[in-house]
Amino acid sequence: MSDKLDGLIEEVSLSSDQRDVSRVLRRVTARWGFQYFCYLRLSGAKTYALSNYPQIWQKRYFECSYYRIDPVIQNSMSKKQMFAWSGTAPQAKPSRQVLRFFEEAAELGIRSGISIPVSVGFGSTAILTFASGQARLAIEDLDDPIKAAAAATLVHAYLTLLDAVPTSTASPRLTPRQALCLKWSAEGKTMEEIAMLLRLAKTSVRFHLDEARTRLDAMTLQQATAIATTLNLV
């Protein structure tokens, strides 16, 4: 596993945009014998994913707020190191809700995997997961948790620096005014022009755009407009 992690670190280091990182993760996923990858970022109430999981699962996961009950996330928050998991051998006494969660995942070929959680500052956690349709994985294959954490941290850093747009997210809500300001911004209007169009003070436009960026958990206004467009919020 250590050599495989070296390969992941080296390939991600050569990425120049989000597509490169996604391609690397897809190649590594197949090379390691998995079917899916998922980069999940947990930041307070804001949660989003970059993944090749089936879109139906990504949509259901966030619409049903499964991140609140997902045992993989719960283990990630407590262990803070690489671990294997399986839907056929969940926690000692799983609730009916958790059992149903694993059943739904298994229906789409998600039965086991490895997850690598890392702290990424300001109370946030990022989790890099590789999932399989196999019933379970051998924990002894996971022989280098330190290098695994380094790989997951590098993936997080590159996706953050490259302003990666998530493939799915916990559904953020924008006020009509925030959405309208962001829509005009996405069309290339300056704050002064938006203020004139909406008959608002420039400070009000800045306030609405900043609030929209915060709700979308975006680092920049450009990333906020990209996320909002992808999620059909504007």
Side-chain angles (χ1 to χ4, degrees):
M1 188 70 176
S2 181
D3 291 341
K4 294 178 180 179
L5 289 166
D6 282 333
L8 171 58
I9 291 171
E10 291 166 0
E11 290 184 54
V12 171
S13 298
L14 297 175
S15 300
S16 59
D17 57 30
Q18 177 181 338
R19 290 183 180 180
D20 284 344
V21 179
S22 294
R23 280 193 286 265
V24 168
L25 292 174
R26 287 177 185 274
R27 286 199 300 270
V28 168
T29 297
R31 199 157 61 224
W32 291 4
F34 294 97
Q35 285 76 52
Y36 303 111
F37 73 85
C38 179
Y39 162 82
L40 187 67
R41 181 180 174 187
L42 311 171
S43 180
K46 303 179 183 68
T47 302
Y48 68 79
L50 178 70
S51 175
N52 70 337
Y53 279 144
Q55 276 298 318
I56 186 173
W57 175 246
Q58 294 190 50
K59 182 178 180 182
R60 187 185 306 169
Y61 189 93
F62 286 106
E63 285 184 349
C64 298
S65 298
Y66 280 161
Y67 52 89
R68 300 184 187 279
I69 64 165
D70 187 347
V72 173
I73 290 182
Q74 294 173 7
N75 285 339
S76 295
M77 301 305 284
S78 61
K79 292 184 177 180
K80 293 295 185 184
Q81 64 180 14
M82 179 171 60
F83 63 93
W85 52 268
S86 170
T88 61
Q91 61 199 44
K93 293 182 179 180
S95 66
R96 184 176 301 176
Q97 194 176 21
V98 168
L99 287 174
R100 181 55 188 158
F101 164 79
F102 277 125
E103 288 173 2
E104 290 184 18
E107 289 170 3
L108 295 171
I110 305 167
R111 295 182 174 85
S112 64
I114 60 170
S115 292
I116 312 166
V118 289
S119 297
V120 293
F122 302 100
S124 299
T125 298
I127 307 170
L128 181 61
T129 291
F130 296 95
S132 168
Q134 298 178 34
R136 63 180 62 203
L137 297 170
I139 189 70
E140 55 266 23
D141 289 343
L142 312 180
D143 58 359
D144 200 333
I146 294 177
K147 191 171 289 185
T153 300
L154 187 65
V155 170
H156 164 75
Y158 267 73
L159 291 177
T160 300
L161 290 171
L162 295 171
D163 287 342
V165 177
T167 53
S168 193
T169 182
S171 301
R173 296 182 181 275
L174 299 178
T175 66
R177 190 69 77 182
Q178 290 166 359
L180 197 53
C181 287
L182 206 55
K183 177 180 181 298
W184 283 119
S185 178
E187 294 184 9
K189 300 296 184 183
T190 65
M191 288 193 191
E192 291 84 357
E193 291 171 331
I194 297 173
M196 291 179 63
L197 286 166
L198 300 181
R199 296 182 181 180
L200 295 172
K202 181 182 174 180
T203 54
S204 296
V205 173
R206 181 181 291 109
F207 171 78
H208 290 307
L209 288 174
D210 284 345
E211 285 293 303
R213 182 174 54 78
T214 299
R215 291 192 181 200
L216 294 169
D217 196 26
M219 300 294 292
T220 64
L221 186 57
Q222 290 73 22
Q223 186 185 22
T225 56
I227 293 173
T229 300
T230 299
L231 297 176
N232 294 317
L233 296 176
V234 296

